[in-house]
Amino acid sequence: MEPEIWRRFVVPARITLDRLHDVIQVVMGWKDYHLHEFGVGKKRYTEYPKSKQDGFECGKYRLGDLIKQKGRTFRYLYDFGDDWEHELVIEDSHYFNPEPGMELYCLEGERCCPPEDVGGAPGFFEFCKALKDPNHREHTSYTEWAGGDYDSGKFDAQAVNWELMKYLRWSRDRFKTWGGIE
């Protein structure tokens, strides 16, 4: 679908799918308000599956254990109402960045991510149309909803990398767990 919104980013092969979901949320610019699902082959992985039909618990599986070959694709679905479906491609399963602390890194991307709850692709196109047209019936309400400065063509990899750095810091392993349980 045009215009395409995409990101190229680096994660370690040992990342679990639940953490990969977190990284996708950061690189896309979403707030993690909705359910998600990974599809690898015919298997589904999600948070808190209630039955086998719901798939497997994504926090128990590492990306590198499920997908090893360069060029392999798999699916990520975010927000089962808006249905933001992503195709993820493993470009290099042996990528190495010599800079310390750079195991998560956004290399590049294009276009701003659609806002949460915009109504899927059709809603996003209507949203962008309304923002560009001051005479559109929804222009004022959408401008206010978007915070007044939404630019669908904007993408800032440096800002994404700052957020990834914070995510790495916040999600690091700790010496003690909450409540002192070892």
Side-chain angles (χ1 to χ4, degrees):
M1 180 171 280
E2 291 293 325
E4 283 191 9
I5 300 167
W6 58 270
R7 307 289 186 263
R8 282 184 73 220
F9 58 97
V10 175
V11 297
R14 70 183 184 281
I15 195 169
T16 56
L17 293 182
D18 62 335
R19 297 263 180 159
L20 179 58
H21 161 73
D22 295 344
V23 170
I24 293 170
Q25 290 292 298
V26 171
V27 300
M28 291 304 296
W30 277 322
K31 308 289 185 211
D32 197 12
Y33 294 158
H34 301 284
L35 297 173
H36 69 278
E37 171 183 285
F38 288 95
V40 180
K42 293 183 180 185
K43 293 184 179 175
R44 297 170 41 222
Y45 302 85
T46 190
E47 274 186 317
Y48 315 119
K50 293 182 177 156
S51 69
K52 287 186 179 183
Q53 291 77 22
D54 291 338
F56 300 97
E57 171 67 51
C58 63
K60 295 181 178 181
Y61 296 89
R62 296 188 185 279
L63 179 61
D65 293 337
L66 297 174
I67 302 171
K68 297 177 183 354
Q69 62 197 119
K70 182 178 177 176
R72 176 84 188 270
T73 63
F74 62 107
R75 184 180 60 83
Y76 170 75
L77 177 64
Y78 176 63
D79 185 347
F80 297 167
D82 281 0
D83 288 326
W84 294 112
E85 189 164 333
H86 303 73
E87 179 181 67
L88 289 95
V89 180
I90 303 297
E91 290 186 358
D92 184 350
S93 59
H94 300 291
Y95 178 85
F96 175 73
N97 187 341
E99 285 189 53
M102 300 303 286
E103 58 187 344
L104 301 178
Y105 192 76
C106 183
L107 299 166
E108 59 186 332
E110 191 171 335
R111 302 185 57 77
C112 190
C113 185
E116 298 273 1
D117 300 319
V118 77
F124 180 56
F125 287 119
E126 185 62 26
F127 170 79
C128 290
K129 183 177 161 186
L131 289 183
K132 289 179 185 175
D133 179 3
N135 296 318
H136 191 284
R137 61 182 164 75
E138 297 291 344
H139 177 79
T140 302
S141 64
Y142 283 176
T143 300
E144 288 173 7
W145 182 56
D149 62 352
Y150 185 86
D151 178 357
S152 66
K154 183 180 176 184
F155 175 71
D156 184 350
Q158 226 176 350
V160 168
N161 285 322
W162 177 252
E163 294 302 317
L164 287 171
M165 183 184 71
K166 290 192 300 188
Y167 173 73
L168 272 174
R169 172 99 175 116
W170 293 336
S171 62
R172 72 189 185 281
D173 291 335
R174 310 293 174 123
F175 291 110
K176 297 274 187 180
T177 61
W178 289 99
I181 300 169
E182 306 292 324

